[in-house]
Amino acid sequence: MRRSVPADRHGPRGTGGAPREPAADVKAVHDRDALLAVAVRTVLGGTGAYGAMVYLRSRDRRSLVLCTIAGVPLSIMSPFRRVAAAGPMPVAVSFRTGRTITLADTEDTMRRFPQLAVGMPYDFASASVPVAAGGERFGVLSVLWAASDEGVPEGSPRRLRSAAERLAAGLARLAEAGHLVEPNGDTPVVELPPPSAPTTRVGLFDWNVATGALAADEQFREIFGFAPGEFDGRVTSLTGRIAPGDRSEFRAAAKLALERGEVLAARVRVLGRDGRPYPVELRARVPSTIADGRTHLVGAVLDARTLTAAAAAVERLCEGVFSLDPDGRISYANRGVEPLLHVARDELIGHHPWKVLPWLGDPFYENRYRAAVVSQQPMTFLAVRPPDGWLAFSLYPDAHGVTGRVVAAEAPPGAPAEPPTAPPPGARPGLGDTYHLLQLASALTEAVSVRDVCRTVAEQILPAFGGQELAIYAVRDKRLHLVSQAGYPDGFLDRFEGTPIGARIPGAETLSTGTPIFFENIGELAAAYPGIALDEMRAWAFLPLIASGHPVGSCILGFDEPRPFTVEDRGLLTALGGFIAQALERARLYDAEFTLARGLQQALLPHRLPDVPGVRIAARYLPGTQGMEIGGDWYDAIVTGRDLTLVIGDVEGHSVGAAATMGQLRSAVRAFASGGEPPDRVLARTNRLHLDLDPGLLASCCLARLTPADGTVRIARAGHLPPLLRRPGGRAEALYVPGGPLLGVDEGAEYPVSELRLVAGSVLALYTDGLVEDPAVPIDQGVDRLRVAFAHAPGGGLEALADLLLRDVGSTHRVDDVALLLTEFGGC
């Protein structure tokens, strides 16, 4: 069983993007969905997880689209139905890197993936594994576990990888045959098997009313108490098993069924073998193949004794008991609910409680339900039913839904005399929409420069809505000037450059009116703006960018298929327009400071490296891809008599102050090292000077003094990551030599020196943490990843090696700067 809801508006296509025949489409989709369903059921059964999802890459490879889900309400996952492939989400990182990403708990999630924590602020453990085969990555398999001290259960990642490999192999076979692999427009919700044996039994029958013959299956015979071989196939034998008082009801139901063509839920009592009656329900109809002379009835009998007894027991309770389906709608409520909630059960069934009961309209209450479902932990809360009826609610979740309990309660200490006014229906957006907005807006908070803002919109916000084109215009001198674009044909936007903000085009009018403009298809746009230039897009959103009451610019999103913009879509996009405007306004100020600070930093870094016989040196500096793009990373190579002192350092922070402190420390290290001080004394004196200057920033540093005459190298560390050493045979190791604390912590700190001897062909690597930091892995794993890449790098010289390490090890979305200093000892 499954339900399907829209997920990706692209029509069915093969791997090459060409339309396929409808029959082939249907079979391909069924084959693919069957593979996905098997995968999620397998991991749920083998890992103890309660929820599983499969994301597949979109046709343009810019998004990952949720294509199958089990055990988790689709409504809760709505902020993550489409994830930017370039974004900082666990599934995106797993897809890009090909690595398994595990998150142990809320703290781990907040530390490594804050955007996920914003969109799902609940306690859970998770793992994401890439679905890849033969170098082709199709998507990601992701699972959730209930919150616990154990985090991700031991052995589960291995089982997940096995399931992902089998899924990838199946998808690869489909792709090789030219069948559909990409999302095609729905998200099947895979129904999980019930946690216990069915509480109802159903038997089928075919009754020839004219002859009295009745054919029945085994379940039917068991329900009516017949032993194997006991039933003779006559309806008279059947009526003998019906309680005498109900036989007339049975005959009347049969007659009514013949007259009307069907009868539903006729209740009669059957006598058990002990003579005690129990209820069953009869449902019957005349077969459609019989046109005249209705002589046959086919149907079913339902034995719901266990279910009926359970329902009766719950109905007798004075406290309220209710059930929520996986999407939070009330599927059952007992009689005890009515006097407590002051509402009839019929008004509750099929609705979210926070929508049908105004006093539960505060988002807090819906959030309690969502927290219970995602964490799989019981939740309790108090609510006040106007005017002063306090109620205590308890929620007990599992993967199939939530059972709730409500009882009368005392007002908590300090409760207000008057309950808060409930918001009118429809006055607030759904909590899922709110979290979606917060999750997308949080990406903009990390964007500092104008380029950062534009890249964030292009790489994260545009794919989140399934768009293909983006244009961001800024206002200068009352005209629109293109700041950034993605997806447009070459030269298409040239005609709009410098457009007055009062012009009669949607990109200008949305700004002059301050109102977003949406076109769901090409006909709407052509009718509103006859003769406007068009490309291959089929739907558009034009958003005004207004910050602090004045126009900043406009943002245009284009979609390659006609798209109905729902009320939720319009609200989210409108709000995002405000966030984008604020981010752009803030970014302009940062860009002005950046120009000054970047010049300062470039002046402080070495302009050239020394030429030392028997030694080759290569250095790289890369600014962070986010923020001011300046910081405190530095490197240096200082000739000190017969020796060469290699330096790498990192001042915390990304600001003009960090760059200035870096300049002071670099000058201090250079001065002390040039004076012939040993490495430990250089760091100790630099540490004391740093404390005297008191810039309020800590710094790490590593010194390696190399004597080219004999290959001796003496290393001292101040809170810095270990150097790496690659020997001539290709073996590489991290030199976890003893070190002292960070500079600026302890005036009396000591920095021990470790000595080793290099052989000809050895390469020493000094680096800053920006090269090995990645939110997906701990720092020591990042160091080891650098070590492996260092060891297996092919020949080609030191410069090529530096480029390779930056390309293959550094994170695409690094926040920190990167400094790298490679030194090859050639021997004498």
Side-chain angles (χ1 to χ4, degrees):
M1 296 291 292
R2 74 178 193 185
R3 305 189 303 275
S4 295
V5 295
D8 193 316
R9 293 174 176 83
H10 297 312
R13 297 177 183 266
T15 57
R20 299 184 54 81
E21 293 297 323
D25 285 342
V26 172
K27 183 180 186 304
V29 170
H30 287 171
D31 291 345
R32 185 204 64 194
D33 287 354
L35 289 172
L36 303 184
V38 169
V40 297
R41 288 194 178 104
T42 298
V43 298
L44 289 179
T47 65
Y50 71 85
M53 296 158 281
V54 178
Y55 285 85
L56 294 181
R57 67 194 184 195
S58 64
R59 190 175 51 178
D60 60 10
R61 304 296 196 270
R62 297 174 62 187
S63 306
L64 296 171
V65 181
L66 182 60
C67 288
T68 292
I69 187 169
V72 187
L74 189 59
S75 58
I76 288 181
M77 293 305 301
S78 61
F80 307 100
R81 289 272 297 280
R82 183 186 287 271
V83 174
M89 291 293 175
V91 291
V93 173
S94 178
F95 180 74
R96 292 197 308 271
T97 64
R99 299 196 303 270
T100 299
I101 308 299
T102 60
L103 297 172
D105 52 28
T106 303
E107 181 179 347
D108 197 17
T109 303
M110 178 63 76
R111 177 174 57 85
R112 295 165 57 193
F113 294 95
Q115 282 194 38
L116 174 62
V118 169
M120 285 184 65
Y122 310 114
D123 198 11
F124 60 92
S126 68
S128 298
V129 298
V131 177
E136 185 80 3
R137 291 179 189 161
F138 298 102
V140 176
L141 174 61
S142 183
V143 298
L144 304 178
W145 286 273
S148 70
D149 294 337
E150 183 183 9
V152 175
E154 184 178 357
S156 294
R158 176 178 52 80
R159 297 186 184 95
L160 286 174
R161 286 190 288 269
S162 297
E165 289 170 1
R166 291 192 294 271
L167 173 59
L171 293 175
R173 288 191 294 271
L174 285 177
E176 289 170 2
H179 293 316
L180 181 72
V181 172
E182 287 80 7
N184 67 301
D186 63 8
T187 300
V189 178
V190 178
E191 302 290 349
L192 301 178
S196 58
T199 55
T200 60
R201 290 190 300 170
V202 179
L204 304 178
F205 67 88
D206 183 343
W207 177 13
N208 187 327
V209 181
T211 65
L214 189 145
D217 65 4
E218 181 179 358
Q219 285 273 52
F220 183 97
R221 296 192 297 269
E222 289 180 358
I223 290 171
F224 276 87
F226 291 104
E230 183 181 357
F231 182 55
D232 60 6
R234 305 297 301 173
V235 74
T236 52
S237 301
L238 178 70
T239 55
R241 296 298 176 98
I242 297 175
D246 291 351
R247 289 171 186 169
S248 59
E249 177 69 20
F250 172 73
R251 296 188 184 94
K255 180 179 179 182
L256 186 63
L258 289 172
E259 293 174 352
R260 297 184 178 179
E262 66 177 0
V263 63
L264 299 177
R267 294 178 63 89
V268 297
R269 291 171 298 161
V270 174
L271 298 174
R273 294 181 182 180
D274 58 0
R276 295 180 179 178
Y278 53 88
V280 299
E281 288 187 2
L282 288 167
R283 300 169 185 263
R285 66 176 179 83
V286 175
S288 58
T289 55
I290 299 178
D292 300 315
R294 297 178 175 180
T295 58
H296 272 261
L297 287 175
V298 295
V301 58
L302 281 70
D303 176 11
R305 275 175 286 181
T306 304
L307 186 61
T308 301
V314 174
E315 288 294 320
R316 286 190 288 269
L317 293 175
C318 295
E319 62 190 41
V321 177
F322 58 92
S323 178
L324 304 176
D325 68 17
D327 280 317
R329 293 179 174 84
I330 297 176
S331 55
Y332 168 78
N334 72 343
R335 282 186 301 182
V337 161
E338 294 183 335
L340 289 166
L341 304 187
H342 289 186
V343 65
R345 285 187 285 181
D346 291 345
E347 298 179 40
L348 296 172
I349 303 300
H351 300 284
H352 295 102
W354 48 87
K355 291 185 177 179
V356 74
L357 300 170
W359 45 274
L360 286 181
D362 190 296
F364 168 82
Y365 302 116
E366 181 185 352
N367 202 44
R368 291 295 81 199
Y369 151 75
R370 295 165 68 95
V373 170
V374 176
S375 69
Q376 290 290 289
Q377 298 294 324
M379 294 288 165
T380 61
F381 59 88
L382 289 173
V384 58
R385 183 204 65 225
D388 56 2
W390 284 91
L391 301 174
F393 287 82
S394 302
L395 304 178
Y396 303 94
D398 69 7
H400 302 269
V402 175
T403 296
R405 174 175 174 266
V406 55
V407 296
E410 297 291 332
E418 294 291 333
T421 303
R428 66 174 180 91
L431 199 57
D433 296 331
T434 300
Y435 282 140
H436 193 186
L437 175 61
L438 292 174
Q439 178 251 320
L440 293 175
S442 67
L444 288 170
T445 64
E446 300 176 6
V448 179
S449 68
V450 171
R451 186 178 66 180
D452 292 339
V453 173
C454 296
R455 183 175 59 240
T456 298
V457 176
E459 293 182 355
Q460 297 190 48
I461 294 177
L462 181 65
F465 288 92
Q468 284 69 45
E469 286 184 353
L470 165 73
I472 296 179
Y473 284 88
V475 175
R476 290 199 309 271
D477 300 325
K478 297 185 178 181
R479 292 180 178 272
L480 293 174
H481 297 276
L482 184 66
V483 175
S484 178
Q485 69 88 18
Y488 279 93
D490 291 341
F492 179 81
L493 295 176
D494 292 349
R495 71 200 76 191
F496 301 107
E497 180 63 20
T499 298
I501 60 175
R504 177 82 169 82
I505 62 171
E509 287 200 338
T510 189
L511 188 57
S512 61
T513 63
T515 304
I517 303 174
F518 299 94
F519 297 106
E520 298 186 343
N521 54 64
I522 196 170
E524 291 183 1
L525 177 60
Y529 297 92
I532 191 171
L534 299 172
D535 58 4
E536 296 182 354
M537 294 298 102
R538 295 294 179 265
W540 297 264
F542 295 86
L543 308 176
L545 304 182
I546 299 174
S548 302
H550 69 273
V552 174
S554 60
C555 178
I556 305 169
L557 307 181
F559 304 84
D560 66 356
E561 297 287 345
R563 171 188 178 122
F565 290 99
T566 65
V567 173
E568 291 78 12
D569 287 342
R570 293 170 186 251
L572 282 171
L573 287 168
T574 300
L576 278 172
F579 282 115
I580 294 170
Q582 293 173 19
L584 280 175
E585 187 74 354
R586 183 180 67 245
R588 288 177 175 178
L589 300 176
Y590 275 103
D591 282 346
E593 184 180 357
F594 162 74
T595 302
L596 172 64
R598 185 73 169 135
L600 170 63
Q601 186 180 40
Q602 289 295 331
L604 294 173
L605 290 173
H607 294 281
R608 62 182 179 83
L609 296 170
D611 186 7
V612 178
V615 177
R616 285 189 292 274
I617 309 173
R620 295 289 187 274
Y621 173 82
L622 289 181
T625 58
Q626 297 177 354
M628 286 289 297
E629 299 192 12
I630 63 168
D633 290 22
W634 90 91
Y635 61 86
D636 209 345
I638 310 161
V639 177
T640 52
R642 296 180 302 122
D643 296 338
L644 173 67
T645 300
L646 305 165
V647 186
I648 198 86
D650 184 2
V651 179
E652 66 174 336
H654 300 83
S655 65
V656 176
T661 301
M662 177 267 283
Q664 292 172 335
L665 292 178
R666 176 176 177 257
S667 298
V669 170
R670 175 169 277 272
F672 297 143
S674 299
E677 298 276 11
D680 56 336
R681 290 283 298 160
V682 172
L683 289 181
R685 295 187 66 180
T686 302
N687 176 53
R688 287 195 293 272
L689 176 63
H690 187 49
L691 285 165
D692 289 341
L693 295 173
D694 191 21
L697 298 173
L698 300 178
S700 67
C701 186
C702 180
L703 267 66
R705 177 163 293 179
L706 171 64
T707 303
D710 59 6
T712 300
V713 62
R714 298 169 180 84
I715 301 172
R717 293 195 297 147
H720 203 82
L721 292 172
L724 298 181
L725 175 63
R726 188 177 76 176
R727 303 186 187 277
R731 185 171 66 88
E733 61 179 310
L735 302 176
Y736 283 98
V737 297
L742 292 167
L743 302 176
V745 174
D746 178 11
E747 183 176 0
E750 297 182 354
Y751 300 92
V753 175
S754 300
E755 182 176 313
L756 64 151
R757 186 69 61 86
L758 303 183
V759 299
S762 298
V763 180
L764 187 69
L766 306 181
Y767 56 94
T768 56
D769 55 7
L771 182 60
V772 294
E773 278 184 331
D774 190 316
V777 297
I779 190 69
D780 57 340
Q781 292 185 25
V783 172
D784 193 61
R785 188 166 72 243
L786 174 61
R787 181 194 62 79
V788 171
F790 194 35
H792 294 91
L798 216 56
E799 298 291 338
L801 175 59
D803 292 336
L804 181 144
L805 294 179
L806 292 179
R807 182 181 68 248
D808 293 353
V809 179
S811 173
T812 304
H813 290 270
R814 63 185 180 279
V815 176
D816 207 352
D817 301 8
V818 172
L820 174 65
L821 184 64
L822 300 178
T823 305
E824 182 177 8
F825 174 63
C828 294

